[in-house]
Amino acid sequence: MSTDVEPEVNGRQIPVALSSASVYPLSVHDAFAVAQDLGYDGVEVMVTNNATSQNPDALIQLSHRYRQQIVSIHAPTLLLTQQVWGAAWNKIEKSCQMARDVGCDTVVVHPPFRWQSNYAENFAAGVREIAAMYQVHIAVENMYPWRVRGREAVAYLPHWDPLGQDYDDVTWDFSHAATAGANSLEAVQALGSKLRHVHLTDGSGSGKDEHLVPGTGTQQCADVLQHLAGNGFSGVVVAEISTRKAKVAGEREEMLAETLRFARQHLSVPLVRSHDK
């Protein structure tokens, strides 16, 4: 099962790839197989405790077997991957080296946690230096405030919001935006050419990081994709939804197929603003 070929925008087709996180708790291998079956343009590999996700040779074999380009590496900078690849800067360097090894040029990272004070103090400068060293784009992802007993807690430094930070490249995640109560269209417009990468998903604004199928939450996913279609976006749109609750055979694939259909549909129509009508 596959969808139509992705639209060509300003002479370039905007790729729509699948994050390996979207098939969890299935394996990285499954992500490549599902991506091929559904007609995605590539795979983003999230580095986890899974051995295959840490092995560039194994990933290259999967890429060739399933004819799926590896478009990006998601560094193990999540709370649940703190034990993977040791110290914070080592995680980023090893992720950049893996990106070079597998032939992609984008590494997604989360901003530092507040308890990583030394790392956080030099984060923007360090990211820029390592990106130049490995000749890759390190795209810092938007996060959200943590709330404890109804009060906002400082979890990330320098901030969970990449707007106003000294980053060259940014990843925008719609689920994180919903959790933060952010307006994704305004944020993406404000980021301009700094927007390198998109995690396509959705959220209801419930305060939880939901990673819903796009179009089923409250975020302006369609408008943002249409905006990208008309503004020469040079990055990749990556489906990153949660399918952990899928129970019936084929349910996970249906959710991922719907996400791909949504992306292709709205990337094919540049956003028409009210004053253009």
Side-chain angles (χ1 to χ4, degrees):
M1 177 170 57
S2 64
T3 61
D4 295 335
V5 175
E6 73 272 21
E8 186 168 309
V9 180
N10 295 334
R12 174 186 180 269
Q13 293 178 336
I14 298 179
V16 183
L18 178 66
S19 168
S20 60
S22 293
V23 303
Y24 181 83
L26 300 182
S27 69
V28 178
H29 189 154
D30 291 301
F32 280 89
V34 170
Q36 183 191 52
D37 287 345
L38 298 181
Y40 277 86
D41 302 310
V43 171
E44 172 174 300
V45 175
M46 179 174 283
V47 178
T48 66
N49 292 299
N50 177 273
T52 301
S53 75
Q54 302 178 27
N55 186 332
D57 292 334
L59 294 175
I60 290 170
Q61 289 179 9
L62 289 172
S63 176
H64 290 165
R65 175 176 177 179
Y66 291 102
R67 299 188 297 279
Q68 288 290 309
Q69 179 183 1
I70 299 172
V71 301
S72 47
I73 299 295
H74 195 310
T77 50
L78 290 71
L79 190 62
L80 296 177
T81 56
Q82 287 300 289
Q83 302 306 313
V84 178
W85 288 353
W89 287 122
N90 192 58
K91 294 174 187 290
I92 293 183
E93 284 212 47
K94 290 197 70 169
S95 297
C96 290
Q97 183 60 60
M98 176 178 279
R100 293 296 304 269
D101 290 343
V102 302
C104 70
D105 67 353
T106 299
V107 173
V108 178
V109 303
H110 287 187
F113 294 108
R114 62 173 176 77
W115 56 84
Q116 297 173 305
S117 55
N118 292 334
Y119 170 56
E121 286 175 7
N122 302 301
F123 181 66
V127 161
R128 182 174 291 109
E129 180 180 342
I130 294 173
M133 183 188 309
Y134 287 91
Q135 292 296 291
V136 299
H137 298 275
I138 300 178
V140 183
E141 190 167 357
N142 64 307
M143 296 305 292
Y144 46 83
W146 290 6
R147 296 180 176 88
V148 180
R149 297 174 184 171
R151 301 182 65 180
E152 185 173 319
V154 177
Y156 298 100
L157 293 175
H159 205 276
W160 53 263
D161 187 351
L163 271 74
Q165 303 300 322
D166 189 23
Y167 304 141
D168 291 335
D169 296 288
V170 169
T171 295
W172 191 259
D173 183 296
F174 290 98
S175 179
H176 297 172
T179 306
N183 182 307
S184 284
L185 181 59
E186 290 181 359
V188 164
Q189 290 173 332
L191 285 168
S193 61
K194 286 189 173 186
L195 182 68
R196 175 69 191 174
H197 205 66
V198 173
H199 280 166
L200 179 58
T201 179
D202 211 336
S204 69
S206 68
K208 298 179 180 179
D209 186 16
E210 300 167 296
H211 285 271
L212 304 176
V213 172
T216 63
T218 59
Q219 285 292 299
Q220 300 160 292
C221 301
D223 286 347
V224 170
L225 293 182
Q226 292 170 25
H227 169 77
L228 298 180
N231 283 271
F233 177 63
S234 62
V236 178
V237 172
V238 175
E240 191 184 77
I241 67 168
S242 174
T243 62
R244 285 177 290 182
K245 294 183 179 179
K247 295 180 175 62
V248 181
E251 185 178 0
R252 173 178 287 105
E253 288 75 10
E254 289 177 3
M255 295 168 71
L256 295 171
E258 170 58 21
T259 301
L260 179 59
R261 183 203 64 77
F262 184 96
R264 294 260 170 85
Q265 174 186 344
H266 293 292
L267 285 171
S268 68
V269 184
L271 180 63
V272 177
R273 299 167 182 82
S274 58
H275 59 74
D276 294 331
K277 294 179 181 180

